[in-house]
Amino acid sequence: MTVTSPKGFRAAGVAAGLKSTGALDLALVVNDGPDATAAGVFTANRVKAAPVLWTQQILKGRAVKAVVLNSGGANACTGPGGFQDTHATAEFVASRLGGMGAGQVAVCSTGLIGERLPMPKLLSGVEGASKALAKAGGFAAAEAIMTTDTRPKIVEITGDGWTVGGMAKGAGMLAPALATMLCVLTTDAVAGADALDEALREACRVSFDRVDSDGCMSTNDTVLLLASGASGIEPTQEELTAAVTQACHDLAQQLLADAEGHTKQIAIEVVNADSEEDAVIVGREIARNNLVKTALFGNDPNWGRILAAVGVTDAVYEPDELNVAINDVWVCRNGAAAEDRSKVDLSGVKVHITVDLNAGDHTATVWTNDLSHAYVHENSAYSS
Amino acid sequence: MTVTSPKGFRAAGVAAGLKSTGALDLALVVNDGPDATAAGVFTANRVKAAPVLWTQQILKGRAVKAVVLNSGGANACTGPGGFQDTHATAEFVASRLGGMGAGQVAVCSTGLIGERLPMPKLLSGVEGASKALAKAGGFAAAEAIMTTDTRPKIVEITGDGWTVGGMAKGAGMLAPALATMLCVLTTDAVAGADALDEALREACRVSFDRVDSDGCMSTNDTVLLLASGASGIEPTQEELTAAVTQACHDLAQQLLADAEGHTKQIAIEVVNADSEEDAVIVGREIARNNLVKTALFGNDPNWGRILAAVGVTDAVYEPDELNVAINDVWVCRNGAAAEDRSKVDLSGVKVHITVDLNAGDHTATVWTNDLSHAYVHENSAYSS
């Protein structure tokens, strides 16, 4: 159940010495075809890492035959030299693997911003990975892209004779416009680049885009979808989109469950909104509110802070028609206290908040985590 | 140096039993005239507490003869009953003080959202406060409006024969659109309501509006400016605006220095922006970024996170033309690493970040705090 589950893919994960711990830190995923169609979705941050700029550019060719990913360094805010490093990495991968040009090699990096990558180590890692490529290499690849993740995130969705596989990493900087840091999805379905693009955009919109762990948008977020066509089966657009969406949703929930220093996994379901956009805006505002997040860390069903967060948005609603439930206890009706808040049981890891805007019939769910001592600790100690 | 420094004002602070600790929790400020002009600025949150709705309404009359303020309960999200409580409080103040109608009594509340106020206690406190009113009561009033504040915030600015005095409270929910929770400013200058309004709006715009401690907007934020005219002196608009701005800036810095659980007071100066609005937008985005705030808590000059925050905005700039200094060390030039980050000394409480957008000649400074273990602790334990 990894990127190598679909036919036509091999992968590897090796230790290139980019992480001081000696852990796996370089992954290679290769599409052996027969097809090499691809689609990608990237961070909306205007400060984009070199590998994001590179991969956005090569995707215009709509063919990707290999993806090289490293942890241990984001190669973001590294100037023209950083871009040259990415270019050189792609060239080196192409030369080692053969049968492709650098323009068919996607590059992803994750780690600390602002420092150049140690290129001799990285290229030596590529050398090793290219020799280690195997059908069984998906697990090692998923492990090699981890940073503060405590476990690899992998997925497999089975279609009718075809498969979608995937891996992701990300435990912080899970952000409004794109929650993942890095994600590679593979499929042996036969699918053109347009079909892949449509499936991937729709999948991200309702999965990664709706996870907002800490409101911080990464410079490196990349989600790639590669199709080998090796199953010989061409699913309908609906089937493809459904499978890719399911894979993204599964991985997004794995990210949420492994977010830095969380103690709660919080689903914020906004119902009866005037539009789906309104529902997402309200859900995101609550998800990003530090006072809501700290209250939930303290097992405090503080619905007043939820209303204060809703009040910041331009969504359609009347303040005195808002209802809020926490774990199915309607603690607020018509903008004021209702059921006894002491009835709310917040002892579990999962929290479900329902916000009823009373303004229409649209719904959306945004997922987030609480704000804990451990979050502060991990993020104040990250680079030191 | 309090609200009673200017001529024509008396105040009191008493313990009405709203706080379980027995601390002062009810304040009364009375304008003895001869004038009773007033202006107010309120939270932009659409979920507004009952006292905000009340005070916004009575300010249309442009005359305020008394302000009653309570801590120990925000009277927000309390429905029609909560609004009736505010109305009854104003009526009671007017009846006890005489010489005014309820429509000349402003009401401010602060504390937990979503719970009704214990009215018998509150009105009994008003009774006591009305008897305790004194020229020397400004200190007690400032103490009575504190919630998680560790010290009262007071100010006095001296003009040429006239004075501006003030008090403020606020240690959390210091927010983008209005940072204060509650602030009452007084002056014995002769000034019409329009002049007060102009002075107060300009003062808030460059002071409270630019303090963003934790990005959370309150339901209760209120800043009032009352003029007694007792000095007999009418300053120019420029003089009045300058004095009120100085008073607001001073109080805003006191709020920042007493923000919940902070270890740093951070000034984010954005220079060479295309517009002042751009500078504020960029400053605020950095101020609200949890990864920047936790890095500074950990004494980590992590400029990459600053760039990632800038990248979220629509401000005019080119990513490869951004420069960043932390405490005057230019750690980033042209979007990449420059001076050695180990040169940055973050051992002090005050941190100065300079972000050069290289896009124009406008400047603005936004003030914030770091995100610490203590912030998480205080805000997860607030209502329990």
Side-chain angles (χ1 to χ4, degrees):
Chain A
M1 49 179 301
T2 70
V3 287
T4 50
S5 295
K7 291 174 207 141
F9 292 93
R10 288 174 299 149
V14 300
L18 307 173
K19 285 178 180 164
S20 56
T21 57
L24 302 189
D25 51 19
L26 190 131
L28 196 55
V29 179
V30 177
N31 182 352
D32 290 319
D35 300 342
T37 47
V41 173
F42 301 90
T43 181
N45 200 309
R46 288 170 61 196
V47 176
K48 293 187 204 311
V52 169
L53 296 171
W54 169 265
T55 305
Q56 279 186 317
Q57 190 175 310
I58 69 139
L59 265 176
K60 290 178 186 160
R62 315 182 87 179
V64 170
K65 292 194 172 172
V67 186
V68 58
L69 312 93
N70 74 275
S71 51
N75 197 6
C77 307
T78 44
F83 191 80
Q84 282 161 19
D85 290 343
T86 292
H87 188 170
T89 304
E91 289 281 3
F92 191 76
V93 169
S95 74
R96 277 298 163 279
L97 296 179
M100 65 187 73
Q104 293 170 311
V105 179
V107 182
C108 302
S109 298
T110 176
L112 191 63
I113 300 175
E115 292 184 3
R116 294 283 293 276
L117 292 168
M119 288 301 289
K121 285 183 184 176
L122 190 143
L123 297 183
S124 149
V126 170
E127 178 84 43
S130 65
K131 290 173 185 162
L133 282 170
K135 187 75 189 160
F139 287 103
E143 195 181 326
I145 59 174
M146 288 165 57
T147 52
T148 55
D149 308 64
T150 66
R151 47 186 181 271
K153 285 88 181 173
I154 50 177
V155 72
E156 177 181 344
I157 307 293
T158 309
D160 190 9
W162 54 283
T163 300
V164 173
M167 65 179 186
K169 66 80 45 181
M173 279 206 178
L174 300 180
L178 188 62
T180 329
M181 292 198 70
L182 303 180
C183 173
V184 178
L185 298 159
T186 54
T187 181
D188 49 16
V190 175
D194 285 343
L196 294 177
D197 189 68
E198 183 178 330
L200 188 60
R201 286 188 191 284
E202 173 60 15
C204 287
R205 193 178 72 80
V206 297
S207 59
F208 297 123
D209 278 359
R210 294 193 183 167
V211 173
D212 193 339
S213 176
D214 66 3
C216 296
M217 193 190 291
S218 161
T219 49
N220 287 59
D221 291 339
T222 302
V223 184
L224 297 174
L225 172 57
L226 279 53
S228 70
S231 71
I233 295 170
E234 184 170 359
T236 66
Q237 183 70 53
E238 290 66 35
E239 290 168 337
L240 182 66
T241 299
V244 174
T245 300
Q246 205 182 329
C248 287
H249 181 75
D250 190 311
L251 288 169
Q253 294 299 315
Q254 292 182 53
L255 296 179
L256 193 75
D258 194 27
E260 287 174 352
H262 82 282
T263 74
K264 304 282 185 204
Q265 295 160 31
I266 305 159
I268 302 162
E269 183 185 13
V270 181
V271 303
N272 299 325
D274 182 57
S275 64
E276 187 178 336
E277 192 189 356
D278 265 14
V280 172
I281 286 169
V282 168
R284 210 168 260 167
E285 194 67 40
I286 297 167
R288 298 184 75 171
N289 188 287
N290 280 352
L291 291 174
V292 171
K293 292 159 85 84
T294 47
L296 291 171
F297 169 60
N299 292 340
D300 170 13
N302 195 321
W303 58 269
R305 292 180 179 181
I306 295 172
L307 251 60
V310 176
V312 175
T313 71
D314 290 330
V316 176
Y317 67 86
E318 291 300 323
D320 59 1
E321 293 177 2
L322 293 170
N323 304 318
V324 176
I326 304 176
N327 284 349
D328 299 324
V329 180
W330 288 92
V331 286
C332 168
R333 284 198 188 276
N334 301 318
E339 284 191 70
D340 187 349
R341 39 180 277 155
S342 69
K343 287 185 190 163
V344 180
D345 178 6
L346 284 170
S347 58
V349 171
K350 301 244 180 181
V351 178
H352 193 97
I353 294 172
T354 316
V355 176
D356 177 359
L357 296 182
N358 249 317
D361 57 6
H362 294 270
T363 293
T365 299
V366 173
W367 291 272
T368 189
N369 299 107
D370 58 335
L371 176 54
S372 68
H373 289 297
Y375 175 89
V376 173
H377 179 72
E378 282 205 41
N379 285 297
S380 60
Y382 183 75
S383 81
S384 34
Chain B
M1 48 179 302
T2 71
V3 286
T4 51
S5 296
K7 290 175 206 140
F9 292 93
R10 287 174 299 149
V14 300
L18 308 172
K19 285 178 180 164
S20 56
T21 56
L24 302 188
D25 51 18
L26 189 130
L28 196 55
V29 179
V30 176
N31 182 353
D32 290 319
D35 301 341
T37 47
V41 173
F42 302 90
T43 181
N45 200 309
R46 288 170 61 195
V47 176
K48 293 187 205 309
V52 170
L53 295 171
W54 169 264
T55 304
Q56 279 185 318
Q57 190 175 308
I58 69 139
L59 264 177
K60 289 177 186 160
R62 315 182 87 177
V64 171
K65 292 193 173 173
V67 186
V68 57
L69 311 94
N70 74 275
S71 51
N75 198 7
C77 306
T78 45
F83 190 80
Q84 283 161 20
D85 290 343
T86 292
H87 188 173
T89 304
E91 289 280 6
F92 192 75
V93 168
S95 75
R96 278 296 162 280
L97 297 180
M100 65 186 74
Q104 293 169 312
V105 178
V107 183
C108 302
S109 298
T110 175
L112 192 63
I113 300 174
E115 291 185 4
R116 294 283 293 274
L117 292 169
M119 287 303 288
K121 285 183 184 176
L122 190 142
L123 296 183
S124 151
V126 169
E127 178 83 43
S130 65
K131 291 173 184 161
L133 281 169
K135 188 74 190 160
F139 287 103
E143 195 180 327
I145 58 174
M146 289 164 57
T147 52
T148 55
D149 307 66
T150 65
R151 48 186 182 271
K153 284 88 181 171
I154 50 178
V155 73
E156 178 182 344
I157 306 294
T158 310
D160 190 7
W162 55 284
T163 300
V164 174
M167 65 180 187
K169 66 80 46 180
M173 278 206 180
L174 300 180
L178 188 62
T180 327
M181 291 198 69
L182 303 180
C183 172
V184 178
L185 298 160
T186 54
T187 181
D188 49 18
V190 175
D194 284 344
L196 294 178
D197 189 69
E198 182 177 331
L200 189 60
R201 286 188 191 284
E202 172 59 16
C204 287
R205 193 178 72 80
V206 297
S207 59
F208 297 123
D209 277 359
R210 295 193 182 167
V211 174
D212 192 340
S213 176
D214 66 3
C216 296
M217 193 189 291
S218 160
T219 51
N220 287 58
D221 292 339
T222 302
V223 184
L224 297 174
L225 172 57
L226 279 53
S228 70
S231 72
I233 295 170
E234 184 170 0
T236 64
Q237 182 71 53
E238 290 65 34
E239 289 168 338
L240 182 66
T241 300
V244 175
T245 300
Q246 205 182 330
C248 287
H249 181 74
D250 190 309
L251 288 169
Q253 294 299 314
Q254 292 182 53
L255 296 179
L256 193 75
D258 193 29
E260 286 174 351
H262 82 280
T263 74
K264 303 282 185 202
Q265 296 161 30
I266 304 158
I268 302 162
E269 183 186 12
V270 180
V271 302
N272 299 325
D274 182 56
S275 65
E276 186 177 337
E277 192 190 354
D278 264 14
V280 172
I281 286 169
V282 168
R284 210 167 260 167
E285 192 68 39
I286 296 167
R288 299 184 74 171
N289 187 287
N290 280 352
L291 291 174
V292 171
K293 291 159 86 84
T294 46
L296 291 171
F297 169 60
N299 293 339
D300 170 13
N302 195 321
W303 59 268
R305 292 180 180 180
I306 295 172
L307 250 62
V310 176
V312 174
T313 72
D314 290 330
V316 178
Y317 68 85
E318 291 301 323
D320 58 1
E321 292 177 2
L322 294 170
N323 304 318
V324 176
I326 304 176
N327 285 348
D328 299 324
V329 180
W330 288 92
V331 285
C332 168
R333 284 199 187 276
N334 300 318
E339 284 190 70
D340 187 348
R341 40 180 278 155
S342 69
K343 287 185 189 163
V344 180
D345 179 6
L346 284 170
S347 57
V349 171
K350 302 244 179 180
V351 178
H352 193 97
I353 294 172
T354 316
V355 176
D356 176 359
L357 295 183
N358 249 317
D361 56 7
H362 294 270
T363 293
T365 299
V366 172
W367 292 272
T368 190
N369 298 107
D370 58 335
L371 176 55
S372 67
H373 289 297
Y375 176 90
V376 172
H377 179 72
E378 282 204 41
N379 285 297
S380 59
Y382 182 77
S383 80
S384 34

